[in-house]
Amino acid sequence: MSKTVWMDGRLVPMEQAAVSVFDHGLLYGDGVFEGLRQYNGRVFRMADHLKRLYNSAKAIRLEIPLSQHDMGEAVAATLQANKLTDSYIRLLVTRGIGALGISPATCSKPSIFIIADSIKMYSEETYRNGMAIITASTPRIAAAALSPKIKSLNYLNNIMAKWEAIDAGVPEAVMLNPMGFICECTADNIFIVRDGHLLTPAEESGILLGITREVVLELAVAAGIPTRQSNLTRYDLYTADECFLTGTGAEVVPVTSVDKRMIGDGKVGPITRQLTSTFHHYARNIGNTAAHSAIAAREKLPTGG
Ligand code: PMP
């Protein structure tokens, strides 16, 4: 079935959803984006995603010509047009059309695109039994060069690490910061469990502040699991009792080996199991109510009914 894409205020069939070759989003990766998830007709943590998008835009001096309120409505209109209740939503804001040089000053109007599609996650088998990952030799770009907090259209740094994962025959690669501390995977945040404590790299490690990461930390605290955000090394990963990744698409996915070192006993550990199922339930039910998704409620997003 043909999909409908929201492009600069218009809903168009996907065949007509074409971008100019002069758009600096294409020419230079000059733009920002978000990946959101819709569960049971409601967008999960929409306010958080919009806040991150607008902060990313602000950081690169890109003024989005739409209020967060109107952006929420545009997302709702896209979901309605595609008759979706459970989907993955990609929201992009590019610098727009300009001259061939890199100067963003030649781009007068940012372009906005909203694509909604079905979700591609890891296999059932992976959620049950975990997966192997590697650490990449490609370092995460230094926060002083370009903050990883900016979810920009420049994913080449991550793509270089993703090649390493592909070459190693595993789905993900962990990237280290220039100091050698663990940052995150190419499209997911990382957690380990050690002696009953849940540990994840801190903001200062130079990571994208994942929204799933934040929810998992909240759920862990609510479950009485002690949490700590700190610098972690490869040693910490190799000797962890448990390990898992988090992301909007992946949710919570267990890792059972890193660089050929078995994590714990090689089976998905109890805290990972608990958080995987708690998150799964929370995202689809309790956490996905008006109280937790204020903008979604205000915007009267489709309820799926
Ligand atoms: N790190 C990177 C580099 C990512 O691209 C993503 C996916 N957006 C994440 C972490 C996870 O973030 P979130 O939970 O907000 O999807």
Side-chain angles (χ1 to χ4, degrees), residues 44-62:
F44 185 62
R45 295 272 172 139
M46 169 107 115
D48 294 347
H49 281 283
L50 290 180
K51 190 166 166 215
R52 187 169 69 182
L53 178 76
Y54 280 71
N55 278 340
S56 292
K58 186 168 188 191
I60 67 161
R61 211 173 141 186
L62 174 64

Side-chain angles (χ1 to χ4, degrees), residues 122 127 131-133 171-174 184-192 212-213 216 237 243-247 250-255 258 272 276:
Y122 291 105
Y127 286 99
M131 63 184 189
I133 62 170
E172 259 293 9
V174 190
E184 58 187 335
C185 288
T186 67
D188 292 316
N189 290 112
I190 188 163
F191 285 77
I192 60 170
T212 319
R213 171 186 180 275
V216 164
L237 263 189
C243 178
F244 62 83
L245 312 182
T246 63
E251 297 192 340
V252 179
V253 59
V255 169
V258 180
T272 305
T276 304

